Amino acid sequence: MNAWLALTKKELRLGFPVFIFALIMEIGLVLGSYYIGRTFGFEKEMILSASVVILLIHSLFLFFYMIYSLSYERNRLHLWLHNPMPIAGLLTSKLVSGLVFMSITFFSFLIFSLLFFQNNFEFFNEQTLFNISITSVVGIYFTALSAAIIFIFFWSIYLTLGKWMHEFFSFILTIILFILVMTGYEYVIHSPLMINLTQWGAIEVEDIFADFEFMISSEQFGVQANWDSVLFYTGEYIVDAIAIILLFIAACWIIDRKVEV
């Protein structure tokens, strides 16, 4: 455990530039949208738009973090893989360090957004903000982890293929495999049988927005929220979680048995 914690501290130092870049980009988007909005007289709407963009960026934070972190290890792969710690430990230390940085930027943004929306938009009441916060936290973290582990899995395939062919062809073939696998998974998960197996444990979240409509004219710029209830199925999340766990296990096996040099 001490060795894993020491490795995670090293990963935190390695990933610090990504954290700084994400923090600067987040602050820059907010300040830039405020400046543009203030110039043209619709700063609240511009900050709202920036907040949506920042929310989407956080769903891919771990994906880009793993690209940066694993690209660094790619240049010293023989040293990284000869670490006595199991491959699962090496990868989880990277995931945890990425989650730490993501949590700092995400919850800072979330607190700012809650205060801003509550004080500037009448259609954001306390219940609505609570619903949005819970669904955002669950959705963003689940999406971020899923994207990161999917990347790790196909990165392991890319490294394996790279032992037998040129890196360019390895990259192209990996992209083709990614498209085929994800298309096949979408087909299976949306088949009538899987729908019947996964649509259980329904959770309905009411009083949450479905989308925004921006009203633009020569005289004003405004935003109107469209509200609806959202239905989540626990079964779908569990099946997706199992698939992601299996991909992570498969990635560890591939790196340990097929990639290790």
Side-chain angles (χ1 to χ4, degrees):
M1 186 64 181
N2 290 334
W4 184 86
L5 289 175
L7 180 61
T8 303
K9 291 180 181 178
K10 181 187 78 68
E11 295 294 345
L12 288 170
R13 292 193 296 270
L14 171 64
F16 190 71
V18 179
F19 166 69
I20 294 298
F21 176 79
L23 193 61
I24 292 174
M25 183 173 61
E26 182 178 312
I27 296 173
L29 281 171
V30 173
L31 295 179
S33 62
Y34 175 77
Y35 175 77
I36 295 173
R38 187 174 178 84
T39 301
F40 295 98
F42 45 84
E43 59 269 18
K44 293 190 294 185
E45 288 78 9
M46 285 299 297
I47 293 179
L48 177 60
S49 302
S51 297
V52 174
V53 173
I54 293 172
L55 197 65
L56 295 175
I57 290 175
H58 274 96
S59 67
L60 295 175
F61 183 98
L62 276 183
F63 171 75
F64 290 111
Y65 182 86
M66 294 306 296
I67 290 178
Y68 172 84
S69 184
L70 291 175
S71 295
Y72 173 82
E73 303 297 357
R74 181 74 174 87
N75 299 324
R76 50 193 292 278
L77 193 62
H78 62 291
L79 297 175
W80 185 62
L81 292 179
H82 283 166
N83 189 303
M85 186 175 297
I87 297 298
L90 298 177
L91 292 175
T92 53
S93 68
K94 291 184 178 296
L95 288 172
V96 169
S97 62
L99 282 171
V100 170
F101 289 133
M102 173 183 164
S103 297
I104 295 173
T105 59
F106 178 70
F107 281 102
S108 299
F109 155 75
L110 189 61
I111 292 171
F112 162 79
S113 298
L114 292 176
L115 294 174
F116 177 79
F117 294 154
Q118 189 173 24
N119 294 326
N120 291 277
F121 292 96
E122 295 181 355
F123 53 76
F124 282 110
N125 55 54
E126 290 185 2
Q127 184 61 47
T128 299
L129 290 174
F130 176 79
N131 293 342
I132 293 174
S133 299
I134 296 299
T135 53
S136 296
V137 169
V138 174
I140 293 300
Y141 275 85
F142 189 85
T143 302
L145 277 170
S146 299
I149 292 176
I150 289 172
F151 171 75
I152 291 172
F153 174 74
F154 285 100
W155 181 76
S156 68
I157 292 178
Y158 165 73
L159 291 181
T160 303
L161 294 174
K163 296 175 62 177
W164 304 328
M165 61 184 69
H166 191 274
E167 289 187 359
F168 174 78
F169 297 107
S170 173
F171 176 76
I172 296 299
L173 188 55
T174 302
I175 295 296
I176 294 173
L177 287 174
F178 168 78
I179 295 173
L180 292 175
V181 170
M182 299 309 295
T183 302
Y185 181 76
E186 285 296 313
Y187 175 80
V188 171
I189 205 67
H190 290 104
S191 65
L193 176 60
M194 287 302 296
I195 290 176
N196 291 329
L197 291 176
T198 58
Q199 288 192 354
W200 53 268
I203 301 175
E204 185 175 8
V205 181
E206 299 180 351
D207 194 24
I208 190 169
F209 65 83
D211 55 55
F212 290 108
E213 291 183 6
F214 291 96
M215 298 169 290
I216 305 175
S217 67
S218 58
E219 299 179 353
Q220 65 175 355
F221 179 93
V223 60
Q224 178 181 344
N226 297 320
W227 306 94
D228 199 357
S229 60
V230 180
L231 192 64
F232 299 97
Y233 291 102
T234 305
E236 292 180 350
Y237 276 90
I238 290 178
V239 170
D240 287 339
I242 292 173
I244 292 302
I245 292 172
L246 291 177
L247 283 182
F248 181 76
I249 294 173
C252 292
W253 183 87
I254 291 172
I255 295 174
D256 186 42
R257 301 295 180 87
K258 302 298 181 180
V259 177
E260 187 158 2
V261 293

